[in-house]
Amino acid sequence: MQSNNPHDTAGQQHRTHNENTDQQRSARRRSKSADEIADAYADVADKLARWRQLDRLFAGRYRRRQFEYANGRVLDVACGTGRNFRYLPPSSEVVGIDISDEMLGHARNEIDRLELSGTVHQMDAQALDFPDDSFDTVISSFSTCTFPDPIAALHEMERVCTPDGEILLLEHRHSDAAPLTWLQAWRAESHYKKNGCRLNHEPLETVKQAGLSVENVSTAFFGLVTTIDVTPR
């Protein structure tokens, strides 16, 4: 029987928060290296490219809402197979970077297929090979969960973004629904070992730890999906 005691509810929420925090700290301690992340995604690049239609059904609406007004010269950090490209304004010039050359092969094909003005480069998000203030908009989707050092990657995004530009993030996080939170916690260890992705991380907390200026945050789909708008300092 479910308890109606508010102290019990508060206690459960406190325990859940502590469990999530402990899991996040554990994940940071055992973070894969950039090379290990590249190897993990090399193995699944073709599969992810084949799932393009499924991604549009689930994440397409969120990608469109977050990125449809990205303007000017746009950097897509950890672009993967190029799933964000179709949602950018046609007038944008896109530059995609990713640690996995196998993923970038599909991203190049996507640029050609969409007839976009853009290029892709193999690069570590934690050490971007671009000068300061190189891009009007920096975007990234479902990526802070995979970076070995997400704070370093966020600092790099801020460095290469113009002072009057913006950084637009689309991320997953631990759900607000108890059954989904439990499932994420149960799968977190094995999922990270296989895919290098932290299922139950909290991207907004990471952004704040990086000291970035958050302008807007929204969540959707039982709290699983979050968008974060950042302005460079």
Side-chain angles (χ1 to χ4, degrees):
M1 177 178 295
Q2 184 175 2
S3 171
N4 292 321
N5 188 330
H7 296 292
D8 290 346
T9 302
Q12 178 60 41
Q13 291 174 342
H14 182 70
R15 287 191 294 273
T16 300
H17 173 76
N18 287 341
E19 289 169 359
N20 285 332
T21 301
D22 290 343
Q23 288 157 0
Q24 290 169 28
R25 289 171 179 164
S26 176
R28 284 194 288 268
R29 285 195 298 269
R30 65 173 186 277
S31 288
K32 292 177 178 289
S33 68
D35 288 341
E36 288 173 322
I37 296 293
D39 290 342
Y41 279 94
D43 294 339
V44 299
D46 291 343
K47 182 186 295 185
L48 291 176
R50 290 195 298 270
W51 288 352
R52 185 187 301 119
Q53 291 297 116
L54 183 62
D55 180 83
R56 288 182 197 172
L57 288 174
F58 172 70
R61 73 190 77 174
Y62 306 116
R63 295 183 193 274
R64 184 179 301 281
R65 290 173 190 168
Q66 185 66 346
F67 304 137
E68 64 179 341
Y69 297 115
N71 62 76
R73 191 169 188 238
V74 178
L75 174 65
D76 189 346
V77 177
C79 67
T81 60
R83 287 178 175 173
N84 294 326
F85 295 168
R86 68 179 293 107
Y87 303 106
L88 296 173
S91 60
S92 297
E93 175 195 352
V94 61
V95 177
I97 70 102
D98 200 275
I99 196 69
S100 167
D101 192 51
E102 287 78 8
M103 300 283 273
L104 289 174
H106 295 287
R108 291 185 188 96
N109 293 338
E110 187 74 354
I111 284 179
D112 293 341
R113 189 178 66 82
L114 296 171
E115 299 181 345
L116 295 176
S117 172
T119 58
V120 297
H121 307 276
Q122 187 176 19
M123 199 176 296
D124 187 345
Q126 301 163 155
L128 296 175
D129 190 18
F130 299 112
D132 296 355
D133 308 334
S134 297
F135 297 91
D136 302 295
T137 311
V138 178
I139 69 173
S140 193
S141 62
F142 307 117
S143 63
T144 59
C145 57
T146 64
F147 298 140
D149 188 346
I151 291 177
L154 289 167
H155 285 164
E156 281 292 88
M157 293 184 205
E158 184 178 46
R159 180 184 66 79
V160 301
C161 189
T162 59
D164 59 348
E166 59 182 352
I167 302 167
L168 305 175
L169 305 176
L170 172 65
E171 299 288 346
H172 70 76
R173 60 184 289 273
H174 67 269
S175 174
D176 296 329
L180 291 176
T181 301
W182 178 86
L183 182 62
Q184 287 175 293
W186 177 59
R187 290 287 299 159
E189 187 80 20
S190 60
H191 188 75
Y192 185 79
K193 286 181 178 179
K194 182 177 181 181
N195 300 303
C197 169
R198 304 176 186 92
L199 276 179
N200 52 6
H201 81 309
E202 179 47 74
L204 181 58
E205 180 182 325
T206 302
V207 169
K208 289 180 177 178
Q209 288 174 355
L212 304 190
S213 178
V214 177
E215 290 296 314
N216 187 55
V217 179
S218 65
T219 59
F221 202 70
F222 305 104
L224 281 172
V225 176
T226 187
T227 59
I228 305 171
D229 301 348
V230 173
T231 55
R233 290 171 292 184

